[in-house]
Amino acid sequence: MEIQQKNVVIATTAAMVILTAFGLIMLRRRNKKIKSSTVVDGNTDKLKTLVLEDMKPPTEWKQVGQISGLRIYPLKSGRQVNLTKADTTEFGLKEICRKGTLPLRDRVFVVYREENKKFVSGRDYSKMLKITVNSMGNDSVEFSFDKERIIVKVPQDGEQDNIDMRKENIRTIDCGDELSSWISKILLGKNEGLRVGYWPDVRRDVSQVYKDQLEVYKNMSNEFTGAYSDLSSFLIVNQSSVDDLNTKIGDVKNYVTVDNFRANIIVSGAPPYAEDEWKWIKIGDKAVFKPYKPCTRYRQFTDKDQRRLEGESPVMGLYIGLYTKGLIKLGDPVFVGSS
Ligand SMILES: *[C@@H]1O[C@H](CO)[C@@H](O)[C@H](O)[C@H]1NC(C)=O
Ligand SMILES: *[C@@H]1O[C@H](CO)[C@@H](O)[C@H](O)[C@H]1NC(C)=O
Ligand SMILES: *[C@@H]1O[C@H](CO)[C@@H](O)[C@H](O)[C@H]1NC(C)=O
Ligand SMILES: *[C@H]1O[C@H](CO)[C@@H](O)[C@H](O)[C@H]1NC(C)=O
């Protein structure tokens, strides 16, 4: 989802940043669950982000609802794929499929402009929302739009490029001329201009470019970034919050659905906006997630630091990062805990 970025880095906070980074380095490491890849360095321009070892999940949980939807968007801004069960990975949800079939993952394909490497989204070309990606065998995917389709081999390695995604430069592997010309024809009506990139499984680094966010959202971490998702590997939305929003919208013609938020996990049976209070989330009997930031849309902030950062952007849903892996499926109980 779009995060409205406000540049609020203030020179006078520099000393605080250094102190905070120092304090975090001093924090005791514990509870090693998933190996950290966060690099700590002496560069004061970068904020050291929390690592999983620094976090401690609760031991007691309370059920607040159950999973009513699981979605991935293999192409950023493309059509959603509904799943009934999914694997949780450090970069987001992954399809569980037959052996020998390439599992689809969340937002691993991205479209960008050839000339300046800037990514494009459904805001630029609404047709993107109807582009479907299907897995074809063990190493290929099919892209389709209406009756147009193309099958391409997913690049395993190959030359990496940097694409420009808002404040970040993110690495990508080009998917080749054929797909480039196919997508350019669909979206631009000509043979070239756009390229498609594939995720090379590298961890993004938000410690410098999103320093403003990190200063306010203390539980945000490099390890919670996804592939080409906006900021987070997982977005969870409570169905009842969407229902509640619709009662405020009033006019049925303008009703929104949970699909408008392009979330990965949809929870039913929780009170409206209860996500705000969720410090930790467990799904099923194993997967544990750390919520760290509201997704800004549709509701206003009361906290003054959040307000300074997000402006008047309303909230719907929560960005959460993976702490303990586990399979999750429709109907699984959702628990919250605090610590
Ligand atoms: C996914 O499920 C939702 C309902 O939960 C439905 O509206 C939508 O059409 C489905 N999408 C696809 C691509 O099957
Ligand atoms: C896909 O399967 C073919 C044989 O069907 C095999 O030669 C190839 O190595 C496999 N590729 C991957 C990426 O597993
Ligand atoms: C970070 O998480 C802890 C619980 O693990 C919570 O008490 C704290 O309020 C969170 N901090 C922020 C800024 O959200
Ligand atoms: C959202 O929270 C309310 C309050 O518990 C709950 O009644 C509702 O079931 C939740 N909705 C979802 C989708 O979990």
Side-chain angles (χ1 to χ4, degrees):
M1 242 172 257
E2 187 65 41
I3 303 150
Q4 295 201 347
Q5 297 301 334
K6 293 273 161 84
N7 198 354
V8 293
V9 182
I10 297 167
T12 52
T13 59
M16 241 179 69
V17 172
I18 295 163
L19 277 174
T20 309
F22 184 69
L24 286 172
I25 291 163
M26 301 303 287
L27 270 180
R28 204 154 48 94
R29 300 292 153 88
R30 63 193 159 198
N31 241 346
K32 194 163 191 156
K33 294 277 177 170
I34 295 165
K35 205 169 175 338
S36 159
S37 58
T38 309
V39 179
V40 187
D41 55 28
N43 183 355
T44 50
D45 231 17
K46 289 187 172 192
L47 213 54
K48 178 186 174 299
T49 74
L50 270 190
V51 291
L52 295 168
E53 291 92 330
D54 295 337
M55 303 180 184
K56 191 173 182 303
T59 49
E60 287 184 24
W61 300 94
K62 182 177 80 165
Q63 189 177 342
V64 294
Q66 65 281 331
I67 301 283
S68 61
L70 288 171
R71 279 103 201 253
I72 53 174
Y73 310 81
L75 170 67
K76 185 179 179 68
S77 283
R79 188 191 291 265
Q80 74 185 42
V81 174
N82 293 336
L83 303 177
T84 54
K85 56 187 189 328
D87 215 346
T88 52
T89 80
E90 295 101 319
F91 296 117
L93 286 183
K94 180 166 106 175
E95 185 188 28
I96 297 170
C97 49
R98 288 196 322 277
K99 235 197 164 116
T101 309
L102 187 77
L104 295 174
R105 295 181 293 161
D106 192 45
R107 287 147 169 134
V108 288
F109 292 98
V110 65
V111 182
Y112 60 100
R113 291 190 205 283
E114 186 146 29
E115 52 171 16
N116 58 11
K117 314 254 193 267
K118 268 198 162 56
F119 89 107
V120 300
S121 75
R123 281 160 218 268
D124 304 298
Y125 305 107
S126 60
K127 279 180 175 172
M128 278 186 83
L129 300 168
K130 291 191 182 157
I131 295 178
T132 306
V133 180
N134 280 309
S135 178
M136 305 291 282
N138 67 352
D139 59 2
S140 303
V141 288
E142 175 198 67
F143 280 69
S144 59
F145 176 86
D146 284 345
K147 296 205 167 65
E148 306 288 332
R149 55 200 62 229
I150 183 172
I151 294 175
V152 290
K153 216 169 159 177
V154 176
Q156 289 307 316
D157 37 40
E159 209 163 311
Q160 291 191 9
D161 218 336
N162 275 320
I163 52 164
D164 175 356
M165 255 187 75
R166 303 199 177 90
K167 296 176 170 186
E168 281 175 275
N169 281 318
I170 308 184
R171 280 153 75 186
T172 204
I173 313 175
D174 189 89
C175 291
D177 292 341
E178 246 191 305
L179 185 56
S180 160
S181 117
W182 186 86
I183 204 109
S184 301
K185 243 181 253 158
I186 303 278
L187 300 179
L188 307 177
K190 53 186 195 180
N191 278 327
E192 55 182 24
L194 298 173
R195 312 249 4 141
V196 180
Y198 181 66
W199 177 246
D201 279 294
V202 292
R203 178 60 78 196
R204 282 157 61 180
D205 181 1
V206 295
S207 60
Q208 190 167 14
V209 287
Y210 287 119
K211 225 155 53 164
D212 49 352
Q213 305 273 341
L214 286 158
E215 280 167 10
V216 171
Y217 300 111
K218 304 283 189 208
N219 292 312
M220 182 172 157
S221 166
N222 257 338
E223 294 171 71
F224 294 162
T225 53
Y228 300 113
S229 46
D230 283 349
L231 196 56
S232 181
S233 39
F234 300 87
L235 174 63
I236 185 166
V237 167
N238 178 353
Q239 178 68 51
S240 66
S241 299
V242 177
D243 298 343
D244 182 60
L245 176 65
N246 282 329
T247 67
K248 288 173 183 142
I249 288 176
D251 189 347
V252 178
K253 281 206 305 285
N254 298 327
Y255 271 18
V256 292
T257 75
V258 78
D259 292 333
N260 290 100
F261 302 98
R262 300 180 70 77
N264 303 111
I265 302 172
I266 297 139
V267 187
S268 291
Y273 303 127
E275 300 104 321
D276 292 19
E277 313 301 325
W278 300 0
K279 302 289 184 203
W280 285 90
I281 295 175
K282 187 165 85 142
I283 299 177
D285 53 15
K286 213 160 156 224
V288 176
F289 301 86
K290 176 67 188 148
Y292 64 92
K293 183 189 183 315
C295 176
T296 43
R297 247 189 213 200
Y298 288 109
R299 205 159 67 91
Q300 294 181 358
F301 290 96
T302 48
D303 177 87
K304 81 172 168 12
D305 290 332
Q306 286 189 2
R307 192 167 204 128
R308 199 184 42 159
L309 183 68
E310 313 279 3
E312 301 297 306
S313 305
V315 173
M316 184 57 70
L318 264 186
Y319 286 143
I320 60 177
L322 184 65
Y323 185 82
T324 308
K325 289 181 182 180
L327 298 186
I328 60 178
K329 57 183 189 307
L330 292 185
D332 268 358
V334 176
F335 305 91
V336 300
S338 46
S339 79

